[in-house]
Amino acid sequence: KQEVTQIPAALSVPEGENLVLNCSFTDSAIYNLQWFRQDPGKGLTSLLLIQSSQREQTSGRLNASLDKSSGRSTLYIAASQPGDSATYLCAVRETGANNLFFGTGTRLTVIP
Amino acid sequence: NAGVMQNPRHLVRRRGQEARLRCSPMKGHSHVYWYRQLPEEGLKFMVYLQKENIIDESGMPKERFSAEFPKEGPSILRIQQVVRGDSAAYFCASSTEGYNSPLHFGNGTRLTVT
């Protein structure tokens, strides 16, 4: 059964710092991987989606990488801002599956 | 260009009552997914529907829970005879089609059973 792990569970950084969030998954037969952010009391906002054939995706200050063979993905946030404070979730969709398997998230706090 | 709309945002029910959660997908999206987020846990898949069809309900409890996505109107997640353990945030997501499409989530309905 697919298990998705995110480390660390919580992270605090000063404003302006670059940071990396980690996601690992146990079964490499994935179709794609998606990164989301969740603000307190809110829904999920899709950030980046990486297909299994891709190595990375970029959007603004965000860069997500995927190493399918090792079961890892990273989300790199450049020049962090207080507005980046949120919980970041990664989720994998297995080949042939209808659903996403979510990690429990990394709670990021960017200190002004 | 409204996103995924869920209502109500908050719902309080006494044990034994019924809860009805509604989800209107994004315009042009015909695929709807329901997920549940228990306190301090990750999101867990419940059910996947297309118009008038349940495609995959493997994550939904066999009793008391049901879902529908009629030809007209929103998708409904229905929980009968609620218990305290049903208290959670219930999220709906929609997509256009296929496995390549990213999921777009609503803001969720927070169900509290007293």
Side-chain angles (χ1 to χ4, degrees):
Chain A
K1 182 189 171 188
Q2 181 74 258
E3 290 186 8
V4 181
T5 304
Q6 291 186 247
I7 294 173
L11 179 65
S12 290
V13 300
E15 183 177 0
E17 193 164 294
N18 302 327
L19 61 103
V20 174
L21 306 179
N22 297 293
C23 171
S24 61
F25 45 94
T26 54
D27 190 337
S28 61
I30 66 167
Y31 196 81
N32 57 42
L33 182 147
Q34 198 167 354
W35 281 93
F36 298 87
R37 70 173 278 169
Q38 185 177 25
D39 294 280
K42 296 285 182 64
L44 280 67
T45 300
S46 178
L47 298 173
L48 291 163
L49 181 146
I50 312 177
Q51 303 297 343
S52 62
S53 58
Q54 296 175 320
R55 298 285 293 187
E56 64 178 326
Q57 282 283 335
T58 298
S59 176
R61 293 182 296 109
L62 305 180
N63 176 276
S65 69
L66 174 64
D67 185 343
K68 205 172 90 162
S69 61
S70 68
R72 295 178 191 273
S73 175
T74 61
L75 180 67
Y76 174 83
I77 303 177
S80 58
Q81 303 171 357
D84 295 332
S85 297
T87 296
Y88 289 80
L89 300 165
C90 77
V92 301
R93 185 189 289 246
E94 294 182 328
T95 302
N98 295 309
N99 57 301
L100 297 178
F101 290 90
F102 279 86
T104 51
T106 294
R107 188 177 304 148
L108 173 66
T109 303
V110 180
I111 304 164
Chain B
N1 188 17
V4 178
M5 303 300 291
Q6 289 189 249
N7 65 82
R9 289 296 309 278
H10 301 276
L11 182 62
V12 179
R13 285 287 178 265
R14 291 200 179 99
R15 277 180 299 171
Q17 291 185 320
E18 178 179 288
R20 279 183 180 244
L21 289 63
R22 286 177 291 278
C23 168
S24 296
M26 285 182 70
K27 187 176 180 180
H29 287 195
S30 58
H31 298 237
V32 166
Y33 306 77
W34 285 93
Y35 284 78
R36 177 165 65 175
Q37 187 175 38
L38 293 167
E40 305 304 321
E41 292 188 21
L43 280 85
K44 304 292 185 197
F45 167 77
M46 298 182 74
V47 62
Y48 162 48
L49 311 103
Q50 296 178 24
K51 282 287 187 182
E52 300 185 277
N53 285 305
I54 297 175
I55 306 302
D56 182 349
E57 56 183 350
S58 60
M60 201 149 69
K62 294 285 185 281
E63 298 179 354
R64 302 188 298 107
F65 285 72
S66 63
E68 63 177 15
F69 188 18
K71 187 177 179 181
E72 301 290 338
S75 175
I76 305 287
L77 179 66
R78 181 181 178 207
I79 312 173
Q80 296 178 288
Q81 299 173 350
V82 295
V83 301
R84 287 220 172 102
D86 297 333
S87 295
Y90 291 83
F91 289 95
C92 170
S94 70
S95 67
T96 50
E97 61 179 291
Y99 301 110
N100 277 337
S101 305
L103 267 63
H104 297 268
F105 281 78
N107 284 334
T109 292
R110 278 148 188 84
L111 172 66
T112 302
V113 180
T114 62

